[in-house]
Amino acid sequence: MDVTPTKGADQLRQYIERIERLEEEKKALMSDIKDIFSEAKASGFDPKTMRQIIRIRAMDEEVLAEQETLLDTYREALGLR
Amino acid sequence: MDVTPTKGADQLRQYIERIERLEEEKKALMSDIKDIFSEAKASGFDPKTMRQIIRIRAMDEEVLAEQETLLDTYREALGLR
């Protein structure tokens, strides 16, 4: 590792600053998500149940993706296209 | 809450989908952050120490912001501008 106060430090600073910028964006997104939950709650929807629905949908999608991968593997193994 | 299968369900679906889109963006950002840490590690920097630096910088910024708010309050209280 080049830790001279010039090149190494500059490189390190760049990595840190890139991460900090992305962390800022992440924070903004999380705040937006929180706002939508608040808005939904104000409209009478229960945020906790919404979170469960989002989890279920994500799981369903994962299962579907796994099935598709498996199907592709079998088709390739059998020379089907 | 309007839970007829028409308006209420549509509204709920819209909230859920908006959240899911933002969650996707968050996931992408987190993956980008992970990539930068990997890249930094490959360049010889220690990710754990980098995380500490990022925490310290965030705390410093928070302290600075608090000091500025306090200073503003005092200035206003004393009619300074």
Side-chain angles (χ1 to χ4, degrees):
Chain A
M1 178 172 64
D2 182 0
V3 283
T4 53
T6 49
K7 191 169 159 285
D10 279 351
Q11 204 188 358
L12 179 60
R13 178 169 296 110
Q14 274 163 25
Y15 282 131
I16 299 271
E17 285 173 358
R18 274 168 69 197
I19 292 168
E20 283 174 342
R21 272 194 297 275
L22 295 177
E23 286 286 359
E24 277 303 311
E25 284 180 49
K26 198 180 107 189
K27 235 168 112 176
L29 278 177
M30 286 165 77
S31 162
D32 288 347
I33 291 170
K34 222 180 128 196
D35 288 347
I36 300 175
F37 274 116
S38 298
E39 206 187 309
K41 195 179 178 182
S43 301
F45 297 107
D46 177 51
K48 221 167 161 176
T49 312
M50 286 176 69
R51 282 189 196 278
Q52 279 182 298
I53 292 290
I54 290 167
R55 242 194 322 271
I56 290 164
R57 279 165 57 106
M59 276 197 313
D60 285 353
E61 210 168 290
E62 212 176 295
V63 167
L64 272 180
E66 270 171 31
Q67 279 178 348
E68 255 167 62
T69 307
L70 207 53
L71 186 61
D72 282 349
T73 312
Y74 284 15
R75 289 175 78 153
E76 262 177 58
L78 298 173
L80 299 169
R81 256 298 120 190
Chain B
M1 179 171 65
D2 181 1
V3 284
T4 54
T6 49
K7 192 171 156 285
D10 279 350
Q11 203 188 357
L12 180 59
R13 179 170 295 110
Q14 274 163 25
Y15 282 131
I16 299 272
E17 284 172 359
R18 273 167 70 197
I19 292 167
E20 283 174 343
R21 271 193 298 275
L22 295 177
E23 287 284 0
E24 278 303 312
E25 284 179 48
K26 198 180 105 187
K27 234 168 112 177
L29 277 178
M30 286 165 77
S31 161
D32 287 348
I33 291 170
K34 222 181 127 195
D35 287 348
I36 300 174
F37 274 116
S38 298
E39 207 186 309
K41 195 179 178 181
S43 302
F45 297 108
D46 178 51
K48 221 168 163 177
T49 312
M50 286 176 69
R51 282 189 197 280
Q52 279 181 300
I53 292 291
I54 290 166
R55 245 197 319 274
I56 289 163
R57 278 165 59 107
M59 278 197 311
D60 285 352
E61 210 168 289
E62 213 176 293
V63 167
L64 271 180
E66 270 171 31
Q67 279 178 348
E68 255 167 62
T69 307
L70 207 54
L71 185 61
D72 281 348
T73 312
Y74 283 16
R75 288 174 79 152
E76 261 176 59
L78 297 173
L80 297 169
R81 254 300 117 188

